Amino acid sequence: MLWAAIATLQKQNRLFEQSGVGMRGLVSFCLFGDDPSDIYYKGAVKNAQQYSEWHPDWDLWFYIGKTVPERVLERIQDVNPRVRFEMMDEPENQTSTYWRINAVFHSDHDFIIFRDVDSRPCHREKVAVEEWLRSDYPYHAMRDHQYHGRQLLAGLWGLKQSVFHELRSVPKEVGQNEDWYGVDQVALLLHVWPLCRRKILAHIGCYNIYERMEQRRPFTAPRDKDSFVGQGFMGDETIRYPGHEEFVVSDYELRMRNDIFMEEYRVSGALQT
């Protein structure tokens, strides 16, 4: 009886750690450039605040440009004591979106997740990340919308410490002649995807691309109304792209595909593993 109780307790401790509560987690962001609409400045503050509530034991690293006002940095630190800033002495443009991968080269955390400052953590994402941490897969990706058409979205992926060494072989930056929107995701596709495609757990909420090498799994937590993981927000917390919200709701065919995917997944028994 005693050994059974000890074994049960050990199992519970492992599950507790793998939920992300007992692990040393890191969230990596980038923040740069002028932001007159406060989409990113206020978004950074909001993320810092929400992560302090959702995961008070996780660290947040912001790779920031020199143009970010000091008042913004002070506000971020005011709402979350686990924030660290890394000042980047580089031009601030679309290549700056790739800065956040630098966390892999300096971190000794148990895992790192990469996020956008204009999105917000949500319950659906939280459950997916916890499922990944409980799994044996070292890499994680999430695609929850029709427009999530890249294998790795720059603000919706992560990795565990066991594979940090693999990422330390990829470029730490992209060339300044690559200043165009989405360059970070193309860099991930070129340099990171070949390393992780056979050992990645991908949570799929919208069945829009097919990658036979990855382990696909539906989101088990429901959507909050018509929202999706990675959704963008304005500085005043209104939806940044209202049309994207309608797109998820109105596309009947993709909803049907996803329903079929979910049902096949349930029948396979994979949800119980």
Side-chain angles (χ1 to χ4, degrees):
M1 291 292 290
L2 177 61
W3 290 113
I6 292 174
T8 300
L9 182 59
Q10 289 175 333
K11 181 178 180 180
Q12 289 175 343
N13 287 340
R14 284 196 299 273
L15 291 175
F16 178 78
E17 291 175 355
Q18 291 172 335
S19 71
V21 176
M23 299 179 72
R24 295 187 61 242
L26 172 63
V27 191
S28 183
F29 297 98
C30 56
L31 185 63
F32 58 91
D34 295 328
D35 185 22
S37 61
D38 269 348
I39 294 174
Y40 302 104
Y41 293 169
K42 287 188 176 179
V45 174
K46 190 67 175 178
N47 269 279
Q49 179 181 4
Q50 289 189 312
Y51 274 104
S52 72
E53 298 167 356
W54 287 52
H55 298 288
D57 52 341
W58 290 8
D59 293 320
L60 276 65
W61 289 2
F62 286 84
Y63 290 84
I64 61 171
K66 292 183 176 180
T67 61
V68 179
E70 187 173 341
R71 60 174 174 80
V72 175
L73 305 183
E74 290 175 351
R75 180 60 181 146
I76 294 171
Q77 286 190 315
D78 285 344
V79 299
N80 192 323
R82 300 193 71 100
V83 165
R84 167 176 157 182
F85 298 121
E86 292 291 332
M87 184 72 71
M88 305 298 289
D89 188 18
E90 298 177 17
E92 297 176 47
N93 51 43
Q94 288 300 318
T95 66
S96 307
T97 56
Y98 195 66
W99 287 349
R100 52 194 147 181
I101 203 170
N102 278 270
V104 175
F105 295 85
H106 307 113
S107 168
D108 63 353
H109 292 78
D110 294 316
F111 65 90
I112 305 173
I113 60 175
F114 302 89
R115 295 295 184 264
D116 296 323
V117 292
D118 67 329
S119 67
R120 306 288 184 269
C122 64
H123 177 70
R124 183 171 167 89
E125 172 193 343
K126 182 176 184 288
V127 172
V129 170
E130 290 175 355
E131 288 180 356
W132 164 58
L133 292 174
R134 289 194 298 270
S135 78
D136 294 326
Y137 292 92
Y139 292 97
H140 188 225
M142 292 182 288
R143 299 190 290 272
D144 199 27
H145 190 275
Q146 184 87 320
Y147 289 160
H148 290 172
R150 296 284 188 186
Q151 288 87 341
L152 287 177
L153 295 165
L156 288 177
W157 73 288
L159 72 165
K160 297 176 183 176
Q161 188 187 67
S162 60
V163 289
F164 283 6
H165 67 282
E166 295 183 351
L167 268 290
R168 288 168 181 165
S169 66
V170 307
K172 296 174 67 174
E173 58 186 35
V174 294
Q176 286 302 313
N177 60 331
E178 304 295 338
D179 179 18
W180 41 271
Y181 182 77
V183 63
D184 53 343
Q185 292 181 169
V186 173
L188 292 176
L189 181 62
L190 291 175
H191 302 302
V192 178
W193 183 248
L195 299 173
C196 70
R197 63 184 302 186
R198 296 177 182 272
K199 43 192 174 183
I200 190 168
L201 177 62
H203 278 89
I204 308 298
C206 196
Y207 196 64
N208 58 343
I209 63 175
Y210 176 69
E211 276 293 339
R212 65 186 181 86
M213 295 296 182
E214 68 185 7
Q215 173 62 44
R216 291 172 293 130
R217 179 178 296 184
F219 287 89
T220 52
R223 296 185 188 277
D224 181 10
K225 297 182 179 179
D226 300 322
S227 65
F228 56 91
V229 174
Q231 188 168 32
F233 290 85
M234 301 293 288
D236 62 0
E237 294 304 299
T238 57
I239 302 299
R240 186 174 184 185
Y241 304 110
H244 288 193
E245 190 177 32
E246 296 171 4
F247 204 62
V248 171
V249 176
S250 63
D251 197 320
Y252 177 77
E253 181 182 359
L254 278 170
R255 272 173 158 257
M256 288 298 293
R257 287 185 190 178
N258 195 55
D259 288 345
I260 293 171
F261 175 42
M262 285 286 289
E263 184 58 28
E264 290 175 347
Y265 197 76
R266 288 194 183 94
V267 171
S268 72
L271 284 175
Q272 279 70 53
T273 62

